[in-house]
Amino acid sequence: MEIYDISYLSLVACFLLLVIPVFVSQYLKLGIIQDTVVSVSRMVVQLAFVGVFLTVLFDLNNSIVNLLWLLVMLIMATHTTISDVGLDLKKLLVPTIFSFIIGNFLVLLYFNMFVVNLENLFDARFLIPIFGMFLGNSLRGNIISISSFYDAIKRNENRYLYSLSLGAKKHEAILPYARKSLDLALKPSIANMSTIGIVALPGMMTGQIIAGSSPILAIKYQMAIMVGIYVSTVMTVAIGIFMTIRSSFDEYGILKQDVFKSTNA
Amino acid sequence: MSSELLNYKDISISYGEKKVLSHFDLDIKQGDRILLKGRSGAGKSTLLKMPMGFAHQTSGNLYFNNSLLDSNTVWDARKRIAYVSQDLDIYEGSVDEFIEEVFSYSFNEGKLDRTKLRRLLVYLGFEKDVLDMNFEELSGGEKQRIGIIMSVLIGKDIYLLDEITSSLDAALKEKVANYFLERKEWTLVIISHDDVWEKENVKVVPVGV
Ligand SMILES: Nc1ncnc2c1ncn2[C@@H]1O[C@H](COP(=O)(O)OP(=O)(O)O)[C@@H](O)[C@H]1O
Ligand SMILES: [Mg+2]
């Protein structure tokens, strides 16, 4: 099948379309021209950088380099999780990294081995984009579950202590909160699967079809990816919560206050 | 060894620069009724939180059943001691949901006697069907009474009661106090300004004079 390339000239033609939002903004005094320019420029620079970077990475296609790049992605994801939820980086670094590695990397290996049947499990063309999709989704899941968990346990401090005083073991007192936050984190992924194809064609599938794949092949990939994303998200989020819990409660079963970034003092 | 249940030995507590308690001693034996008295901020609540592991001394030791209270023994203490706090904030879910949760803990399994629960609710002055209500709808005193009932159902026999009668009307104050004082086998440590507790056999202990 023929691949329809986009020439740089046609890309310019595409950017010409941006004249429309500029006019809309001008006419309705929305004041979004500056924001639009900044956002579009950022997008161009970032994607150009990624494009060049991935080209080099794909040409090189060295397993070690590919794995190192995954490591960089992992560290970025971990950093984003922890700084987003306002917790102390040092305390939760190891458990969070661990959750991303187990949750994403194991599923990825299984995926490349048994689903895509790759000869080289660390082939850049599969390893990096698929890992990116897994990581992006489990990152969102981890942020929701960890932040809602620590929020809830802080908000319900009295209730939590009261459970302990009524004979709850540590895990019995913690579990109701962990359960709720896992539920919260997984709901979007579940909803995503049940509406896919009806509400919107997923980006990956659209991309494949435009690039020349048959819709059936694109759908098969999409199904596989969705399952992979869901499984890796469930694993990451579950491991993430239970690993951070291990290092954030003391032996009396009480939440260590230094888990939170100190805002006072 | 004596039959001391709780033994505060030379306890001092400070928070930062602020000294709250210094060299406090108290022996509590089975069946004792002790009323802690002292000005607000003297450290009374803190003393009652210690056996639960919710507050810690700066120096000195606390013994429970003649063994040092630490992160291992505190779990046993929590099974036997009921601590009814002055600010019991349980504000998510209904009363019945919370009761179900508490009696699903392995230590409490099979202890939920619904007949006894209803009898206690009536005795402690609940008229409406409080079980279906949400905790948000209850007053502080109502929450505390639910707390008391749960501790009784679990079968605890050491009660640390932090201002549990302060927001009740006179008749109910009397009723609640009598309920506890009549059970001679129970050990009580009470913080209260209400004179319904100042009965025979109740020993007044000053805190932080
Ligand atoms: N976790 C804590 N951090 C800092 N100060 C505390 C803490 N807990 C109690 N305090 C202080 O210790 C003092 C004693 O408190 P408390 O035991 O509640 O007194 P009481 O019950 O006798 O009124 C109070 O001044 C209180 O502000
Ligand atoms: Mg107090």
Side-chain angles (χ1 to χ4, degrees), chain A residues 26-41:
Chain A
Q26 193 77 351
Y27 189 68
L28 296 176
K29 299 199 166 40
L30 292 182
I32 56 167
I33 295 179
Q34 199 190 340
D35 288 347
T36 306
V37 171
V38 170
S39 294
V40 169
S41 322

Side-chain angles (χ1 to χ4, degrees), chain A residues 56-132:
Chain A
V56 172
L57 218 57
F58 285 10
D59 286 346
L60 205 63
N61 203 11
N62 174 312
S63 298
I64 306 283
V65 177
N66 295 345
L67 287 173
L68 278 178
W69 178 237
L70 295 197
L71 192 66
V72 172
M73 290 165 78
L74 265 174
I75 291 169
M76 306 258 283
T78 304
H79 181 80
T80 312
T81 309
I82 299 173
S83 57
D84 247 47
V85 297
L87 301 173
D88 190 337
L89 186 73
K90 285 183 292 290
K91 297 269 159 13
L92 299 180
L93 191 67
V94 175
T96 315
I97 279 211
F98 190 77
S99 73
F100 281 123
I101 292 180
I102 303 281
N104 293 308
F105 197 64
L106 288 187
V107 179
L108 179 70
L109 286 185
Y110 179 93
F111 200 84
N112 284 359
M113 198 181 303
F114 299 110
V115 181
V116 194
N117 291 313
L118 285 186
E119 225 155 81
N120 171 15
L121 288 182
F122 307 116
D123 189 335
R125 207 156 66 86
F126 291 88
L127 195 72
I128 291 166
I130 296 177
F131 191 68

Side-chain angles (χ1 to χ4, degrees), chain A residues 64 66 72 134 150 157 161 183 190 212 226 262:
Chain A
I64 306 283
N66 295 345
V72 172
F134 287 1
Y150 288 96
E157 193 186 359
L161 293 181
D183 187 53
I190 294 172
M226 293 298 289
S262 50

Side-chain angles (χ1 to χ4, degrees), chain A residues 195-216:
Chain A
T195 55
I196 201 152
I198 299 174
V199 176
L201 278 188
M204 178 184 124
M205 210 175 114
T206 318
Q208 270 188 303
I209 293 175
I210 290 176
S213 301
S214 79
I216 297 296

Side-chain angles (χ1 to χ4, degrees), chain A residues 4 8 18 29 44 48 61 64 71 91 99 130 132 135-136 172 179 182 200 206 209 216 231 233 236 238-239 247:
Chain A
Y4 288 84
Y8 289 104
L18 288 171
K29 299 199 166 40
V44 169
N61 203 11
I64 306 283
L71 192 66
K91 297 269 159 13
S99 73
I130 296 177
L135 194 60
E172 289 172 325
R179 211 178 271 135
L182 289 182
T206 318
I209 293 175
I216 297 296
V231 174
T233 305
T236 306
I239 296 169
S247 53

